[in-house]
Amino acid sequence: MPVAELLPVIDVTACCAPLTRETIEPSNAEDLAHSLKALADPARLRLISMVASHEGAEACVCDLTEPLGLSQPTVSHHLKVLVDAGFLSRDKRGVWAYYSLVPGALDSVAHLLATV
Amino acid sequence: MPVAELLPVIDVTACCAPLTRETIEPSNAEDLAHSLKALADPARLRLISMVASHEGAEACVCDLTEPLGLSQPTVSHHLKVLVDAGFLSRDKRGVWAYYSLVPGALDSVAHLLATV
DNA sequence: CACAGACATTGACATCCGTCGATGTCTCGT
DNA sequence: ACGAGACATCGACGGATGTCAATGTCTGTG
């Protein structure tokens, strides 16, 4: 497993100043790039958006597969990427796996990008 | 040339509410993903950071190649990706090409990601 | 006008990534 | 205990991406 898998967003954000404040360190650039890569996919952006606006602010795979128009394994794959990156959390209750937003994760990345 | 090349960040930001406010439209997700893909690379993040913190808030390719540790064609390639995505602007003066940040571009993406 | 230098473009290559079908694992109801 | 269903994992495949060497284009200089 790549090292980056062990560095979710919260750790990235605690490390350094916003991108344009000072020259970013190569290792920090690598971490931030890893977080952004997790977001830089249409299906994953839609998943985050769908989970956030779903009732109860959580959703199971069965809620997401059909509206997304992708196969169940593909949806599970994307969700895993988002969980590993620290943007979503997974809560298995019975047969279902419920995904919800990790509070502050998106804001951390947004803060690193913002110039003001 | 892909259509997305013609949709720099400013257009993406003018289109829709923050990601978690309401379910994002597939086409908007595609546009935002394209912008994020442009940022989701360590070399490109470092380029943005180096340009922003360079004196005069602009830098030419010759300023960037050596500290980045990549070949000149590769640096030119990354800069082109960032210009096409609307994050950097290019100003050719004489033999040199000066790159600088597009004001508000990073903030637009940051605003789309933020939840607050 | 030729030459040197800064940068862009091209072509090639290795790697990464999104996708799916097939299969595995676990839980619940019968 | 068995079967059904929800989800994860695996293996494979095609397309996208980062990188470089080689080459092209343009600008200023001797």
Side-chain angles (χ1 to χ4, degrees):
Chain A
M1 183 192 306
V3 176
E5 297 272 356
L6 304 172
L7 291 170
V9 193
I10 293 299
D11 300 330
V12 175
T13 189
C15 76
C16 48
L19 189 57
T20 56
R21 283 278 297 169
E22 49 185 78
T23 305
I24 194 175
E25 293 300 317
S27 66
N28 292 337
E30 204 121 10
D31 294 342
L32 179 53
H34 181 261
S35 294
L36 289 171
K37 263 186 222 291
L39 296 176
D41 181 272
R44 291 198 285 269
L45 289 175
R46 292 182 65 196
L47 282 172
I48 289 177
S49 190
M50 290 162 65
V51 166
S53 55
H54 199 268
E55 81 165 279
E58 63 176 11
C60 63
V61 180
C62 57
D63 293 325
L64 304 167
T65 303
E66 188 269 341
L68 198 59
L70 294 173
S71 70
Q72 173 264 316
T74 301
V75 174
S76 279
H77 163 70
H78 285 311
L79 289 170
K80 177 175 168 52
V81 171
L82 290 171
V83 168
D84 288 344
F87 293 106
L88 292 184
S89 64
R90 179 176 177 271
D91 178 30
K92 180 127 189 181
R93 296 201 298 270
V95 178
W96 292 276
Y98 292 94
Y99 289 86
S100 55
L101 277 187
V102 170
L106 282 173
D107 298 305
S108 299
V109 173
H111 177 254
L112 286 178
L113 294 182
T115 65
V116 289
Chain B
M1 181 191 306
V3 177
E5 297 271 358
L6 305 172
L7 290 170
V9 193
I10 293 300
D11 299 330
V12 175
T13 189
C15 77
C16 47
L19 190 57
T20 57
R21 282 278 295 167
E22 49 185 79
T23 306
I24 193 173
E25 293 300 320
S27 65
N28 293 335
E30 204 120 10
D31 293 342
L32 178 53
H34 181 261
S35 294
L36 288 171
K37 262 187 224 292
L39 295 177
D41 182 273
R44 290 198 286 269
L45 290 175
R46 292 182 65 195
L47 282 173
I48 289 178
S49 189
M50 290 163 65
V51 166
S53 55
H54 198 266
E55 80 166 279
E58 65 176 10
C60 63
V61 180
C62 57
D63 294 324
L64 303 167
T65 303
E66 189 268 340
L68 199 58
L70 294 174
S71 70
Q72 174 265 316
T74 301
V75 173
S76 280
H77 163 71
H78 285 310
L79 289 170
K80 177 175 169 50
V81 171
L82 290 171
V83 168
D84 289 344
F87 292 107
L88 292 184
S89 64
R90 178 176 177 272
D91 179 28
K92 180 128 190 182
R93 297 201 298 269
V95 179
W96 292 276
Y98 292 93
Y99 290 86
S100 56
L101 277 188
V102 170
L106 282 172
D107 297 306
S108 299
V109 172
H111 176 255
L112 287 177
L113 295 182
T115 64
V116 289

